Amino acid sequence: GAGVSQSPSNKVTEKGKDVELRCDPISGHTALYWYRQSLGQGLEFLIYFQGNSAPDKSGLPSDRFSAERTGGSVSTLTIQRTQQEDSAVYLCASSENRGRETQYFGPGTRLLVL
Amino acid sequence: GENVEQHPSTLSVQEGDSAVIKCTYSDSASNYFPWYKQELGKRPQLIIDIRSNVGEKKDQRIAVTLNKTAKHFSLHITETQPEDSAVYFCAASKRDDKIIFGKGTRLHILP
């Protein structure tokens, strides 16, 4: 079946602009995660959703970052007033439920802020 | 909250030799420990996982061991091959909570 998909695959933007990153999880997966991965670095947790609610937003770096999930499916990560340090690969993952379940990652969105 | 430490950050082994990556965790309630492999330019993928009711699990050349008392777990790769070159992430979680990843180990298999 279809895996996790993300769009766009690449995004180049100017400093100060807003960007929206989209994640389509595997159908039926209730848990959805967003991570940030800078070049050669680890997986930085941003936020996760159980259904449409986000019990843990502790990883969001600043109030410029926000995310929502609608219909228990698609999620959007929004970065307002982008800064150069926001440049990274943003990965989305989904699992059947939270914790103790395999996470399936999307291909990521590579964001470059000029 | 949970904290996962992983080492080494970089590991180079001769092709055919074994590689061992070690992780420690802080939350004694954690009971699920997956390992993910990320090849260059690709997404992380699960390669093996272990739950707290067992001490060891093996899948062909890959094995994972868990010591709950010491709160550490390890990944063992035997007879390493060039395609094993990648970044490996350990992780820990407990029921109904998010997975916490280690910072990763970059494994180089030398010809």
Side-chain angles (χ1 to χ4, degrees), chain A residues 37 56 99-100 102-103 105, chain B residues 36 38 43 51 97-98:
Chain A
Q37 188 172 38
D56 191 336
R100 293 174 56 86
T102 302
Q103 290 196 4
F105 284 82
Chain B
Y36 285 78
Q38 186 177 29
R43 70 191 80 181
R51 300 183 190 271
D97 204 355
K98 64 181 181 286

Side-chain angles (χ1 to χ4, degrees), chain A residues 4 33 35 37 40-43 45 48 56 58 91 98-103 105-107, chain B residues 31-32 36 38 43-46 49 51 89 93-99 101-103 106:
Chain A
V4 178
Y33 303 79
Y35 298 94
Q37 188 172 38
Q41 300 301 307
L43 298 166
F45 167 80
Y48 89 94
D56 191 336
S58 62
L91 289 163
R98 59 184 170 180
R100 293 174 56 86
E101 299 290 345
T102 302
Q103 290 196 4
F105 284 82
Chain B
N31 53 15
Y32 175 60
Y36 285 78
Q38 186 177 29
R43 70 191 80 181
Q45 290 190 303
L46 180 76
D49 58 12
R51 300 183 190 271
F89 294 97
S93 77
K94 55 189 177 185
R95 187 174 183 84
D96 294 335
D97 204 355
K98 64 181 181 286
I99 287 178
F101 285 90
K103 293 192 181 300
R106 187 172 299 276

Side-chain angles (χ1 to χ4, degrees), chain B residues 3-58:
Chain B
N3 182 49
V4 177
E5 299 286 339
Q6 181 172 351
H7 59 94
S9 56
T10 305
L11 177 63
S12 296
V13 301
Q14 290 294 137
E15 182 178 347
D17 288 350
S18 295
V20 180
I21 302 170
K22 299 182 179 182
C23 290
T24 60
Y25 60 100
S26 60
D27 190 341
S28 58
S30 289
N31 53 15
Y32 175 60
F33 308 93
W35 286 86
Y36 285 78
K37 175 183 179 182
Q38 186 177 29
E39 297 178 14
L40 188 63
K42 298 192 176 180
R43 70 191 80 181
Q45 290 190 303
L46 180 76
I47 55 171
I48 194 168
D49 58 12
I50 190 168
R51 300 183 190 271
S52 59
N53 58 340
V54 297
E56 183 173 1
K57 184 175 178 180
K58 190 172 182 180

Side-chain angles (χ1 to χ4, degrees), chain A residues 1-69:
Chain A
V4 178
S5 61
Q6 291 185 245
S7 61
S9 54
N10 291 279
K11 177 72 176 178
V12 181
T13 190
E14 293 179 348
K15 178 182 172 181
K17 301 278 189 178
D18 297 352
V19 295
E20 281 191 356
L21 312 180
R22 177 188 169 105
C23 172
D24 282 87
I26 293 172
S27 177
H29 280 194
T30 60
L32 185 148
Y33 303 79
W34 283 99
Y35 298 94
R36 180 168 71 175
Q37 188 172 38
S38 301
L39 188 62
Q41 300 301 307
L43 298 166
E44 178 188 2
F45 167 80
L46 298 178
I47 187 171
Y48 89 94
F49 290 89
Q50 182 66 25
N52 290 335
S53 65
D56 191 336
K57 305 179 183 180
S58 62
L60 294 176
S62 73
D63 58 8
R64 296 186 295 106
F65 288 72
S66 63
E68 64 175 14
R69 189 180 185 193

